[in-house]
């Protein structure tokens, strides 16, 4: 733990003493373990040495309840100064593996954005960030940015009302977070009033029997605190939970959320794979820093199955031609809820 604390204060990720090497040594504590596992996975290698870890991508699910392992930035894991995530490896912590848990995402998804406006805390440029996210979603799928599919609340009351009204596919929190008395606290309002704080356990109770498919908590320390972390507490019922392990560095946090949510909703990407990709447009995402990679992912699903988006533009030669996506959105409004049809 002392090594990890030191390495998360500005030291290089790569190198023989870097954080990436430390994480790799946790996975493979000795050369023999490395050789046996990689030889089995890749179907190549010999009795003398392990094959190169970067030869093939590997989907790693870390099945653990150990608090020391829950809060590690696994996506920074390196083999000989090479980020494994750059070579197709993905890492997700799981509370308990599921034998079969497919996650199906319909063409349009109900997104609930929780964006507190706490005046006494550092401004996060919240309105501009949420507007940017809505505009980018609307540009790719116009109905997805409409209020019916993209709902924004700012306090505990709004959150409770929204979750009572209907289930949501995705919950996105953008705001301040902290560790208080050993618990993760999302800050929803001023002062110490009970309604001003929200713990992951509180959120779990509010979800009731219909939790979202994906939760993204863009707040400081959402994934910290071991057994009290949002990832550990929510992941038994939420198939994908993404949260920050340390301070959520504003420069990266907002951009990550927009790229991530647009990737999941518009590009129909697998969320775990997407989170492990560096943003090619951001030159600051180098192996000499860690601030861009402090989000961890907790996942239980066995397959991610989004409905493809069939975008059909209007033909100017045929003005009566139907826009399939718009028609899908309108159709969803008219399906009676008591028919048991999954949207």
């Amino acid at each position: 733990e002392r090594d990890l604390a030191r390495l998360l204060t500005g030291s290089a990720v790569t190198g023989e003493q870097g954080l990436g090497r430390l994480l790799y040594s946790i996975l493979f504590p000795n050369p023999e373990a490395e050789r046996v596992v990689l030889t089995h996975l890749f179907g190549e290698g010999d009795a003398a040495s392990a094959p190169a870890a970067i030869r093939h991508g590997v989907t790693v699910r870390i099945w653990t309840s150990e608090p020391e392992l829950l809060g590690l930035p696994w996506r920074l894991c390196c083999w000989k100064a090479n980020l494994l995530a750059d070579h197709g490896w993905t890492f997700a912590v799981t509370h308990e593996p599921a034998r079969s848990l497919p996650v199906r995402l319909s063409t349009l998804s109900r997104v609930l954005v929780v964006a507190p406006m706490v005046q006494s805390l550092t401004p996060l440029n919240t309105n501009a960030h949420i507007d940017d996210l809505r505009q980018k979603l609307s540009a790719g799928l116009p109905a997805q940015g409409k209020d019916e599919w993209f709902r924004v609340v700012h306090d505990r009351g709004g959150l409770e009302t929204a979750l009572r009204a209907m289930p949501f596919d995705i919950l996105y929190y953008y705001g301040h977070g902290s560790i208080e008395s050993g618990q993760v606290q999302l800050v929803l309002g001023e002062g110490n009033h009970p309604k001003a704080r929200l713990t992951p356990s509180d959120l779990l109770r509010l979800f009731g029997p219909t939790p979202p498919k994906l939760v993204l908590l863009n707040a400081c320390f959402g994934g910290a605190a071991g057994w009290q972390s949002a990832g550990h507490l929510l992941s038994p019922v939420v198939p994908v939970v993404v949260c920050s392990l340390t301070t959520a560095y504003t420069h990266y946090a907002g951009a990550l959320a927009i790229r991530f949510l647009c990737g999941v909703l518009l590009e129909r990407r697998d969320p775990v794979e997407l989170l492990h990709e560096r943003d090619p447009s951001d030159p600051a995402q180098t192996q000499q820093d860690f601030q861009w990679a402090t989000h961890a992912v907790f996942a239980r699903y066995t397959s991610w199955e989004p409905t493809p988006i069939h975008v059909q533009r209007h033909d100017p030669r045929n003005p009566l031609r139907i826009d399939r996506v718009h028609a899908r959105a309108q159709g969803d409004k008219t399906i009676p809820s008591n028919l048991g049809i999954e949207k």
Side-chain angles (χ1 to χ4, degrees):
E1 290 184 40
R2 288 193 298 272
D3 287 342
L4 186 60
R6 176 177 59 82
L7 290 161
L8 283 176
T9 55
S11 297
V13 169
T14 57
E16 288 304 310
Q17 304 302 319
L19 174 59
R21 176 65 181 171
L22 175 62
L23 293 170
Y24 192 80
S25 69
I26 294 173
L27 289 179
F28 304 107
N30 57 66
E32 179 62 12
E34 179 187 26
R35 185 192 66 79
V36 170
V37 173
L38 295 184
T39 298
H40 174 74
L41 288 175
F42 298 166
E44 55 190 63
D46 53 49
S49 60
I54 59 175
R55 284 184 61 83
H56 303 283
V58 177
T59 298
V60 180
R61 291 288 172 91
I62 301 167
W63 181 11
T64 183
S65 294
E66 291 296 325
E68 294 82 5
L69 300 179
L70 293 172
L72 297 180
W74 289 105
R75 60 192 288 222
L76 290 174
C77 189
C78 289
W79 175 83
K80 294 186 177 179
N82 294 279
L83 274 176
L84 289 175
D86 289 347
H87 298 272
W89 285 59
T90 64
F91 301 86
V93 175
T94 182
H95 176 73
E96 183 177 349
R99 185 177 298 274
S100 177
L101 183 60
V103 175
R104 298 178 176 92
L105 206 62
S106 58
T107 303
L108 288 167
S109 300
R110 296 196 185 278
V111 179
L112 177 59
V113 179
V114 185
M117 310 289 282
V118 184
Q119 300 301 317
S120 61
L121 299 177
T122 304
L124 300 176
N125 205 21
T126 301
N127 285 332
H129 172 65
I130 301 305
D131 288 345
D132 190 19
L133 175 59
R134 186 194 292 270
Q135 289 170 10
K136 284 184 168 57
L137 290 175
S138 297
L141 191 60
Q144 188 62 72
K146 296 184 181 299
D147 289 343
E148 181 183 359
W149 300 97
F150 187 91
R151 183 166 180 175
V152 181
V153 299
H154 299 290
D155 53 28
R156 178 71 171 261
L159 173 63
E160 292 177 351
T161 298
L163 291 175
R164 280 196 301 266
M166 67 184 72
F168 287 84
D169 299 298
I170 293 176
L171 182 138
Y172 172 42
Y173 175 88
Y174 183 75
H176 287 278
S178 63
I179 303 291
E180 300 176 18
S181 301
Q183 286 192 315
V184 173
Q185 303 273 354
L186 303 179
V187 184
L188 299 184
E190 303 283 357
N192 295 317
H193 189 274
K195 295 286 187 179
R197 297 290 189 273
L198 183 76
T199 67
S201 296
D202 295 333
L203 192 55
L204 195 60
R205 286 191 291 272
L206 292 177
F207 288 156
T210 53
K213 299 176 175 72
L214 186 153
V215 169
L216 170 59
L217 300 181
N218 226 349
C220 295
F221 308 113
W227 291 327
Q228 299 300 319
S229 73
H232 183 67
L233 292 174
L234 298 179
S235 61
V237 299
V238 179
V240 184
V241 181
V242 178
C243 44
S244 182
L245 300 169
T246 64
T247 297
Y249 299 93
T250 305
H251 169 73
Y252 301 106
L256 177 142
I258 290 175
R259 182 168 175 263
F260 179 74
L261 292 172
C262 287
V264 170
L265 293 170
L266 303 181
E267 300 170 25
R268 320 307 279 171
R269 296 287 308 279
D270 179 286
V272 174
E273 292 179 4
L274 183 61
L275 187 72
H276 284 75
E277 294 180 2
R278 283 195 268 184
D279 184 352
S281 67
D282 187 354
Q285 293 191 10
T286 72
Q287 294 179 205
Q288 301 305 312
D289 197 5
F290 67 92
Q291 296 180 357
W292 56 273
T294 61
H295 284 77
V297 59
F298 296 75
R300 291 184 64 238
Y301 67 93
T302 53
S303 61
W304 190 261
E305 303 174 6
T307 302
I309 297 175
H310 300 288
V311 177
Q312 224 176 27
R313 299 186 182 281
H314 290 290
D315 188 340
R317 296 168 297 180
N318 183 4
L320 297 180
R321 189 174 183 177
I322 295 175
D323 182 326
R324 277 196 219 165
V325 171
H326 180 70
R328 168 77 169 101
Q330 296 299 316
D332 277 348
K333 295 179 185 177
T334 62
I335 296 175
S337 59
N338 60 355
L339 291 183
I341 298 176
E342 182 177 347
K343 299 181 183 178

